[in-house]
Amino acid sequence: MKPFKSISKSDSDVTPNKKNYREGKRHLEFIPKRGEKMDTCATIGNEYICCNVKVLKSVSNCPYDCSYCFLQNYLNDGKTSVVDDIDGMMEEVKEKLASQPWRFFRIGTWELGDSLALEDESGQARALIERFAELDNVVLELKTKSANVDNILTADHQGKTVVSWSMNTEDMINKEEHLTASLDQRIKAIEKVAEAGYPLGFHFDPMILHNGWKDGYSQLVSRIFEVAPAQQIAWISIGSLRFNPEMKRKMQMNFPRSKLTLNEMVLGPDGKMRYIKAERLKMYQLLYDELQRHISPFTTLYFCMERWDVWKSIFGYSPDSIGHLDYLFAVLMKKQFPNLKISEPDLNLYKKHQDS
Amino acid sequence: MQVNISLDRLKIADSKYYCGQDLTWPGENIQNKKLERSFKTAGIVMPLLVQIDKNGDFHLVDGYRRVAFALVRGLKSLPSLALDSELTAAMILRIVFWEQKDNILRSAIEKSKFIHKAVQLDIDEKTIINELLPIVELRDHKENLKICKTISSLPASIQSFCSLKKFSLKQCTWLSSLSLDLIQNLLSHQHLLNLSASNFMELLELMSDELRANNLTPVELLLESEVSAILRNSQSSNDRTETLKHYFKEKRQPTLNRINREIEKISEELSRTTGMKLRWDTSLEKKEIEVSLRCSSVDDLPTLLQTFQKNEVKESIGSILDRL
């Protein structure tokens, strides 16, 4: 699908506010790098445990139209943009790596968009893969809901890129993740990427309560592990639907047929609506039990934006801080993927610098 | 050029520049009482502003209150000033704005009607975005044109309510996405409820969720026996509104309320037997309880410490933590 009304190149990264976020999905612009593009994932907060992943804001907006997407309440700049200055972004990445040589960096390009949705038009992912292949102590994460993997299959990745998928039940993909690849298409893409030797990642986030969710998530796990070798899976995250109260109204306006906002929810201390904990625990337990039948002991299994007691209730343990979880990633990834040349993890340093 | 124009030749509510001004006299504007005294003593001195179109029709630009008064008093004509025929619609609309500024800026509804009028007059989009949106204190964003159009198409009764309650543009936008039937049904009960803007929005949100979750119509929802009973009860309108909100919230959060009730029961029993007060996060997100005991002398401390050792206390607190 080529959804764009226009594709252009701009000397500026600023466009006057003329169009809305949805209209912006249909205008692709290649823009220069202005200011810093690397940051910490914006969901970080003290009330819930975060994984402290770093993000490279190389794309903004997304051609897909998921009913729960936070971008509908966040972006209004009337375009989809791709930073076309790979050299500039890599220079910044290298500077950040050099400033904390003790840290194992996970850097994703998905914070404000999909890492592979625009690959046919931009080729950005392949370019980044080949540049990250030259670096140590870091891994690039390309997270997607697409099946656009053909352009990266022959890239020289050196195992330094994790290609990950945001996964949901077939029913939720069809009803709520509009314009994204179907479950079948994603499974085929996973198979291709696994054969190309990339480390893999899976994000069961947002888990959504819906009719048939138990069978849906059980079947989803089975289908993934039919094509994804367990030893190739770097990490798996789990999280549930969450949004701020203002976004609830946006979702209802943009997707009047969606019933996502109708479940029993509470406002958490981080200002986001979530399913009540008792319901979240039921979903997580089911998924965890299914995953336990397949996963390698070296795969990092973690919650995104959950409380300590949820970790303990499902996994039987909890990291004691954000720095601790960051450290655990380094330890497990070092064991599973020695080619990443990860510095010997030092828990004290990870804790001391957890806010940086 | 000042002329006397016969009111029956004047386009008033059908003027190209009519932005929804109140045409009743004295209407809702308390300033009109003062004006009435002035009109009665000095007559209508200030000429109306009109624009003559290609067909020779007179479109009222400014002077709606004077016209409303004149019609009630049975006056046949009023002094009028015809605007230069070279003036563009955008220029005339700016005149309307400066003459009606207080009225237009008083609510998001009036601002929307003004901007939508500019769209209807075929004023070019760039001028509206760059020049008219800023003067009505809205962002120079194309999306706002659509929003103003949507808000302007709300039924007059809803517009009037929103204007009176000073709804924000965001609130009006959200309101426009809801079932008009629901809004009008709720408005038809406004004499029973305290419908401030925030109460109105909250109730609409709760009721809208209820309709969507159970495939009900607004009438069916309001006729439910529990809802009817609340609407008929003897509480003040304020308390009745709170009761109604509480009722819908309870329906939307059955598990949360059930667990909180269980905890409350344990907590009350513990308070009765030991004097211990418990506080917990009623969203049930935090797995922790604040425990307090009243102490008026250091001599009380040993007894208080013993309280924590009691089996019934440990069991009760454990039981609550299991629920959190």
Side-chain angles (χ1 to χ4, degrees):
Chain A
M1 185 189 65
K2 299 281 180 194
F4 299 107
K5 276 186 185 171
S6 71
I7 298 180
S8 58
K9 187 171 168 64
S10 168
D11 291 333
S12 163
D13 64 347
V14 179
T15 300
N17 288 337
K18 300 287 189 218
K19 309 178 193 93
N20 69 10
Y21 140 87
R22 238 183 190 157
E23 177 66 13
K25 288 176 175 290
R26 309 189 67 188
H27 298 271
L28 175 61
E29 210 167 280
F30 291 93
I31 59 169
K33 177 178 180 289
R34 290 267 193 273
E36 294 205 332
K37 289 292 168 193
M38 197 169 141
D39 203 350
T40 300
C41 177
T43 58
I44 197 160
N46 293 326
E47 291 286 348
Y48 295 82
I49 302 178
C50 286
C51 74
N52 215 2
V53 64
K54 305 301 173 195
V55 289
L56 189 62
K57 295 173 183 173
S58 60
V59 293
S60 174
N61 212 337
C62 173
Y64 304 146
D65 203 17
C66 299
S67 55
Y68 54 75
C69 181
F70 87 105
L71 293 177
Q72 63 194 300
N73 197 40
Y74 186 78
L75 294 178
N76 61 1
D77 64 353
K79 65 181 177 186
T80 298
S81 59
V82 174
V83 179
D84 65 359
D85 180 3
I86 299 289
D87 287 343
M89 286 193 289
M90 289 311 298
E91 204 172 303
E92 187 184 335
V93 168
K94 285 179 189 170
E95 266 175 36
K96 297 272 165 63
L97 297 185
S99 71
Q100 293 183 313
W102 52 270
R103 170 175 260 161
F104 166 56
F105 282 83
R106 291 164 285 122
I107 304 175
T109 59
W110 36 256
E111 179 160 80
L112 299 176
D114 184 291
S115 298
L116 289 172
L118 305 171
E119 185 60 8
D120 290 347
E121 288 79 11
S122 74
Q124 186 197 63
R126 184 179 177 113
L128 287 172
I129 290 168
E130 292 178 343
R131 301 294 291 274
F132 272 78
E134 301 161 1
L135 305 176
D136 292 334
N137 216 21
V138 60
V139 72
L140 171 70
E141 183 183 26
L142 301 174
K143 182 155 73 175
T144 188
K145 288 190 177 93
S146 81
N148 292 356
V149 296
D150 291 348
N151 193 47
I152 65 166
L153 294 178
T154 55
D156 180 16
H157 58 79
Q158 297 288 317
K160 305 277 180 76
T161 293
V162 174
V163 183
S164 67
W165 274 266
S166 170
M167 297 301 278
N168 226 312
T169 66
E170 190 161 20
D171 193 24
M172 286 299 95
I173 289 174
N174 295 340
K175 285 181 180 156
E176 307 292 348
E177 297 183 350
H178 309 288
L179 307 177
T180 63
S182 67
L183 180 58
D184 283 348
Q185 289 168 328
R186 287 187 215 183
I187 294 289
K188 277 181 195 144
I190 292 165
E191 190 170 18
K192 286 185 197 173
V193 168
E195 281 170 8
Y198 281 94
L200 304 170
F202 297 102
H203 300 277
F204 296 93
D205 190 3
M207 288 189 79
I208 295 169
L209 282 172
H210 58 283
N211 283 339
W213 66 267
K214 289 182 183 170
D215 288 343
Y217 285 111
S218 297
Q219 286 161 13
L220 177 64
V221 172
S222 300
R223 291 208 58 190
I224 290 170
F225 280 92
E226 280 169 15
V227 296
Q231 72 281 4
Q232 238 171 292
I233 301 174
W235 53 67
I236 294 174
S237 79
I238 304 174
S240 66
L241 183 66
R242 54 202 177 274
F243 46 79
N244 65 39
E246 195 185 338
M247 187 163 130
K248 179 183 173 189
R249 290 180 178 173
K250 271 271 164 64
M251 287 163 72
Q252 287 174 343
M253 283 196 283
N254 291 338
F255 302 93
R257 287 186 185 173
S258 170
K259 297 209 166 186
L260 281 191
T261 57
L262 296 179
N263 283 89
E264 185 173 1
M265 289 186 150
V266 288
L267 188 63
D270 62 347
K272 290 202 169 72
M273 309 283 296
R274 287 176 164 74
Y275 298 130
I276 59 166
K277 199 157 65 180
E279 297 298 322
R280 302 206 303 274
L281 287 173
K282 281 184 205 163
M283 286 198 298
Y284 296 158
Q285 191 64 59
L286 174 120
L287 188 68
Y288 178 66
D289 291 344
E290 291 294 330
L291 290 170
Q292 280 295 86
R293 294 166 46 205
H294 303 279
I295 60 171
S296 143
F298 296 121
T299 296
T300 309
L301 186 57
Y302 66 104
F303 282 113
C304 182
M305 298 295 288
E306 268 303 352
R307 302 186 63 80
W308 326 94
D309 56 283
V310 170
W311 279 72
K312 281 185 181 154
S313 176
I314 304 296
F315 297 160
Y317 83 100
S318 158
D320 59 24
S321 62
I322 289 169
H324 188 198
L325 177 56
D326 204 1
Y327 162 82
L328 291 175
F329 266 98
V331 170
L332 289 169
M333 290 290 284
K334 187 175 174 65
K335 283 182 186 158
Q336 193 180 8
F337 301 104
N339 62 310
L340 291 174
K341 296 181 185 152
I342 296 174
S343 305
E344 192 56 41
D346 179 334
L347 179 57
N348 290 330
L349 282 171
Y350 276 90
K351 284 188 172 183
K352 187 177 169 190
H353 296 283
Q354 70 172 20
D355 296 326
S356 65
Chain B
M1 178 183 64
Q2 184 167 327
V3 289
N4 259 10
I5 290 180
S6 165
L7 291 182
D8 57 14
R9 286 192 61 199
L10 187 63
K11 287 184 174 289
I12 305 166
D14 53 347
S15 160
K16 286 196 289 184
Y17 304 100
Y18 176 64
C19 295
Q21 292 91 332
D22 186 8
L23 295 176
T24 58
W25 187 268
E28 290 168 3
N29 193 335
I30 52 166
Q31 293 294 328
N32 289 353
K33 296 279 181 196
K34 285 182 191 168
L35 268 180
E36 186 159 10
R37 275 199 298 277
S38 158
F39 290 161
K40 280 178 180 169
T41 52
I44 295 176
V45 181
M46 279 282 286
L48 307 177
L49 282 183
V50 299
Q51 191 246 354
I52 308 169
D53 69 13
K54 287 174 189 166
N55 303 322
D57 288 329
F58 294 93
H59 293 262
L60 184 59
V61 173
D62 180 55
Y64 285 89
R65 282 183 288 176
R66 278 162 275 169
V67 169
F69 172 81
L71 289 172
V72 168
R73 302 284 292 181
L75 302 181
K76 300 291 181 205
S77 64
L78 285 175
S80 307
L81 207 55
L83 292 169
D84 190 326
S85 60
E86 298 292 305
L87 288 181
T88 63
M91 289 169 176
I92 295 175
L93 212 55
R94 267 192 219 102
I95 294 172
V96 172
F97 173 77
W98 289 111
E99 295 295 339
Q100 298 287 327
K101 188 179 171 193
D102 290 347
N103 182 47
I104 291 168
L105 293 184
R106 82 185 154 101
S107 75
I109 291 284
E110 307 306 327
K111 292 177 186 180
S112 298
K113 287 197 284 199
F114 177 78
I115 293 300
H116 185 51
K117 175 58 66 180
V119 175
Q120 287 176 320
L121 286 169
D122 284 332
I123 296 174
D124 75 278
E125 204 171 90
K126 206 171 163 186
T127 304
I128 302 176
I129 292 170
N130 295 334
E131 296 175 27
L132 298 182
L133 281 172
I135 64 170
V136 295
E137 299 165 358
L138 295 179
R139 282 184 62 202
D140 56 344
H141 196 301
K142 185 180 174 182
E143 181 67 5
N144 275 337
L145 303 191
K146 275 189 207 162
I147 290 173
C148 289
K149 181 183 177 188
T150 310
I151 294 173
S152 299
S153 60
L154 283 168
S157 59
I158 298 176
Q159 283 188 20
S160 166
F161 179 78
C162 293
S163 185
L164 188 69
K165 301 287 179 179
K166 302 263 189 297
F167 275 53
S168 68
L169 193 75
K170 205 179 255 187
Q171 287 174 319
C172 292
T173 309
W174 183 69
L175 206 69
S176 313
S177 72
L178 295 176
S179 143
L180 289 179
D181 199 13
L182 171 65
I183 301 171
Q184 281 168 326
N185 266 287
L186 183 57
L187 273 182
S188 70
H189 292 83
Q190 62 180 304
H191 59 292
L192 299 172
L193 300 164
N194 171 22
L195 293 184
S196 63
S198 61
N199 276 342
F200 189 63
M201 297 297 282
E202 195 176 351
L203 268 172
L204 278 179
E205 185 154 17
L206 290 164
M207 291 168 73
S208 177
D209 284 351
E210 196 61 23
L211 297 184
R212 281 153 48 82
N214 300 308
N215 288 325
L216 294 171
T217 65
V219 173
E220 285 168 343
L221 179 64
L222 289 164
L223 285 176
E224 276 185 355
S225 54
E226 295 91 338
V227 178
S228 301
I230 293 169
L231 290 172
R232 284 200 314 268
N233 73 19
S234 57
Q235 290 179 306
S236 67
S237 61
N238 200 33
D239 290 346
R240 195 180 293 123
T241 308
E242 291 306 313
T243 308
L244 194 59
K245 284 197 293 189
H246 181 73
Y247 168 73
F248 286 126
K249 279 181 192 166
E250 284 263 326
K251 283 192 88 175
R252 300 304 310 142
Q253 299 188 310
T255 314
L256 191 80
N257 292 319
R258 177 181 55 75
I259 297 174
N260 271 312
R261 275 196 296 270
E262 288 170 6
I263 296 175
E264 269 163 31
K265 199 174 167 189
I266 300 168
S267 171
E268 280 166 12
E269 180 61 16
L270 203 58
S271 174
R272 193 182 61 76
T273 55
T274 66
M276 193 173 269
K277 302 284 182 199
L278 303 182
R279 285 178 62 191
W280 66 96
D281 168 21
T282 54
S283 75
L284 309 181
E285 279 296 287
K286 294 183 180 176
K287 196 178 184 71
E288 61 191 30
I289 313 171
E290 277 180 40
V291 182
S292 63
L293 278 169
R294 191 176 292 274
C295 174
S296 52
S297 156
V298 286
D299 297 336
D300 295 341
L301 288 174
T303 317
L304 294 180
L305 287 173
Q306 278 174 8
T307 306
F308 282 102
Q309 299 298 326
K310 287 181 181 172
N311 278 338
E312 61 172 295
V313 171
K314 288 180 186 168
E315 277 169 20
S316 298
I317 289 181
S319 165
I320 293 174
L321 284 171
D322 285 345
R323 287 171 165 84
L324 291 173

